[in-house]
Structure formats: structure tokens, C-alpha cells
Amino acid sequence: MKTDFIQIANYASKAPSGHNTQPWKFHITDSTITVLPNLDVALPVVDRNNRELFISLGCAVENLCIAASYFGYTTHIIECSIEAIILELTKNDLTIEDSLFHQIEKRQTNRNIYNGNKISDGILQQLQSIPKENGIQFYFTEINTPFANTITQYIMKGNEIQMADIAFKNELLSWMRFNKKQVEATHNGLSYLVFGNPPLPRILARPIVSLFLKPNVQNKSDRKKIDSSSHFVVCTTQQDTIKEWINLGRTLQRFLLKVTEIGISYAFLNQPCEIAVLAFDLREKLPVNKEHPTLIMRIGYAKQIPYSPRKKIETLLV
């Protein structure tokens, strides 16, 4: 059983996270797996209240439930708090395998320019019908509609604020891995391969990359990426609470595994959600029933990119 649980925790650890920080630890007993927040890798500038961190924990929990089902276990959450999410696993030979299990290791965030092809109405209906946890909604809008143009405008405003913030840029740079040696030393962060960059010595790379961390450069890059995409997806919560953040993560992971299965790429553009004054404005201006805009994604079609580095499960067990 312990071997099964370690494998299940390993699949849980394949969830997405901001700057690929992988902000989780796992505690395993004979009947439970506990998902613990690792605040040592929190992002206090871009994720000041740890909202995105707890969304990532929700993604890990959903992976865990899907993987547990594959290994023949029923899962039951017996605690969900700021300290821990404890899941009780019970052996169940009748459990039906979740088809999304096979997408856990294939899923990836694709920050590249997409090919401009539009997602069909039939596929959009599939994505819109994905079951959602309590308090969670997803809103879809095609690129270059008034709804999408408002989102784009606020992403640009977000870049102007974040790229003028030295603390934000220093935090981002601290999670960039500029060469193979750095990747192998940390097994986390934003790898040069993911961005299609050549490897560089850190002493050269940091000042070079800093030159590109400017509002106008970032806006030009993001506008190209948005224009190449098919739709925005805005993920909202009702009350903006920790429990809803975890629920959003669970719903989000189902969504990400489904788009992976279909062959759709996605990337996050959360700048307006990360800046309180912009998030407040966006909540008033978007047709989202006064819910809290919590995550923004662009979706479309693109070629696969290299995968982000991942920590070995042995280093994540406590």
C-alpha cells in the first residue's frame, strides 16, 4: 500500500504552479495522504496572499484523486484547511478508471505563440460542461470580441505595473533557470528550454534577460501571443476564500487534463488578477456576475514544447 501511495503522490506532484515552484509536500500514512503547503517556495510579490499557491494545491489534490482511482482507491477529503488537505484512501476493486489519468504526465503550460486556429463550438461545449466545484465558474470569450479586448487591456495595464516593480522582476529572475546546470541543481523554476532560449551562464543571462523585462517589450510579446490564440478563459470564485481557491484548483486541473486530451494548448495571463486594484476594476467591468476574476488563460493550438523540470517524489515526502 505504501508503494501505491508514493506513486499516487508522485502523480499529484505533476500539477502546475506559479514559476514552477512546486509548492507542496506530502505526508503518507497507511490510510491517508496529506498535501501540505510549502511556504518556503511562496511568491510574496506576485502572489502576495498565496492564492495561486493554494490553487496549485487544489490541482495537486485533483491529480491525487484521479491517480488514486487508477490504482483502485476511493478518496475522501477529511480535512481541508490552510495547514493541510488530508485525504483518506480506501481500497475499492470496483473503482472505474478516470480517462484523464493518462494526461497527467502529458499536460504542460505552453507560453509560445499559437497557430491562430479557432476552437470549434463543439469542443467549446465539451470544455464548458466540465464539472465544477462549489463557488467556481469559467467564462469563455473569443479573442478580439469586446469581452476579450477588455481582458487584453487589463493584461497590458498589469504588465505596466509589474514590469516597473523591481521586487517583482527580482522575484521572477530568481526563479529563472538559465542553463542545464541550474535546472539539474534545482529541478524547479522556469527553464530556458521552456522559453526556447539558448543556455547561458547565469552571470551573463540575468542582465540580458533583465533588458527584456520592460512594460513595452512584455506588452508587445503578450499581444502577439493573445492574437495567436483562440479564446480567453476567465476562472472566477464567489467569495475569494482559501477553500474556493482549492476548489478552483481541482476544477482547473480537470479542465487542463481535458484540453491536453483534446490537443489544445493553454497559458496563464494572470497579471490583472494579481494586482488588487486591477482585479477590482475587472470584476466590475466583465460580465462575470460580480464574481472574483481569479485566473485568466488563453487557449488555442500550438506545437508541443519541452517540459518543465520536476522534483523527484523522494524530496517531497515528509
Side-chain angles (χ1 to χ4, degrees):
M1 186 180 286
K2 255 319 181 25
T3 306
D4 280 357
F5 283 17
I6 290 170
Q7 288 188 74
I8 291 166
N10 186 44
Y11 282 105
S13 76
K14 306 296 183 187
S17 57
H19 295 0
N20 188 31
T21 58
Q22 301 166 55
W24 37 66
K25 296 277 189 180
F26 301 95
H27 177 65
I28 292 173
T29 71
D30 288 339
S31 60
T32 65
I33 301 177
T34 301
V35 183
L36 298 157
N38 180 8
L39 299 179
D40 291 341
V41 296
L43 300 168
V45 180
V46 72
D47 188 23
R48 66 196 181 284
N49 57 2
N50 291 326
R51 179 169 68 188
E52 291 178 12
L53 186 152
F54 279 97
I55 292 170
S56 293
L57 293 186
C59 292
V61 167
E62 190 61 23
N63 271 359
L64 194 159
C65 293
I66 291 168
S69 177
Y70 178 82
F71 284 94
Y73 294 89
T74 301
T75 50
H76 176 58
I77 295 177
I78 56 176
E79 182 183 328
C80 183
S81 70
I82 194 168
E83 286 86 19
I85 306 160
I86 304 174
L87 294 99
E88 185 176 53
L89 280 72
T90 308
K91 193 67 177 167
N92 180 1
D93 295 331
L94 300 177
T95 301
I96 299 168
E97 178 188 327
D98 192 322
S99 64
L100 297 180
F101 171 78
H102 300 289
Q103 308 307 318
I104 291 174
E105 293 194 294
K106 295 177 184 176
R107 181 209 59 79
Q108 62 173 189
T109 303
N110 191 327
R111 299 174 179 86
N112 282 0
I113 292 174
Y114 297 171
N115 67 11
N117 291 346
K118 294 299 177 188
I119 297 169
S120 71
D121 290 343
I123 290 176
L124 285 172
Q125 286 171 6
Q126 279 187 61
L127 299 179
Q128 288 165 335
S129 67
I130 289 170
K132 298 172 186 69
E133 299 294 314
N134 288 339
I136 307 307
Q137 280 299 333
F138 282 28
Y139 296 87
F140 294 70
T141 179
E142 190 171 342
I143 300 300
N144 290 325
T145 58
F147 186 168
N149 290 340
T150 300
I151 295 169
T152 301
Q153 177 189 355
Y154 274 81
I155 290 167
M156 302 296 131
K157 287 182 179 180
N159 284 335
E160 287 164 15
I161 293 169
Q162 289 182 334
M163 290 299 165
D165 182 347
I166 292 170
F168 170 85
K169 291 195 283 189
N170 284 339
E171 183 178 80
L172 175 59
L173 285 164
S174 74
W175 284 96
M176 287 188 151
R177 309 295 180 239
F178 301 113
N179 53 60
K180 188 177 180 183
K181 185 178 178 182
Q182 276 191 306
V183 170
E184 291 178 347
T186 60
H187 295 287
N188 63 12
L190 301 165
S191 164
Y192 66 100
L193 288 170
V194 170
F195 294 100
N197 296 334
L200 289 169
R202 188 179 178 191
I203 195 167
L204 293 177
R206 193 175 171 109
I208 290 170
V209 172
S210 296
L211 293 174
F212 292 92
L213 298 180
K214 294 180 178 177
N216 59 332
V217 176
Q218 191 65 43
N219 277 344
K220 186 177 178 182
S221 172
D222 282 350
R223 197 172 285 280
K224 278 185 185 175
K225 291 175 179 179
I226 291 165
D227 288 345
S228 75
S229 305
S230 175
H231 286 70
F232 278 128
V233 185
V234 180
C235 311
T236 67
T237 55
Q238 292 278 353
Q239 305 296 332
D240 201 30
T241 61
I242 286 175
K243 188 161 187 182
E244 283 188 340
W245 301 343
I246 293 166
N247 279 348
L248 173 52
R250 295 196 65 185
T251 305
L252 173 67
Q253 190 64 5
R254 285 198 286 271
F255 178 88
L256 299 182
L257 295 177
K258 189 63 181 179
V259 297
T260 301
E261 184 178 60
I262 293 169
I264 291 169
S265 296
Y266 72 89
F268 295 100
L269 288 164
N270 294 330
Q271 297 91 313
C273 308
E274 293 163 346
I275 299 164
V277 64
L278 298 186
F280 179 82
D281 281 356
L282 210 54
R283 185 184 179 198
E284 297 300 312
K285 290 190 176 179
L286 292 184
V288 295
N289 300 312
K290 296 289 191 275
E291 294 156 14
H292 293 269
T294 308
L295 294 176
I296 297 170
M297 284 178 281
R298 62 185 178 98
I299 57 174
Y301 295 98
K303 292 179 182 176
Q304 193 179 69
I305 60 168
Y307 280 84
S308 295
R310 286 282 164 170
K311 287 189 172 291
K312 292 182 178 177
I313 188 59
E314 294 79 11
T315 68
L316 300 172
L317 299 177
V318 295

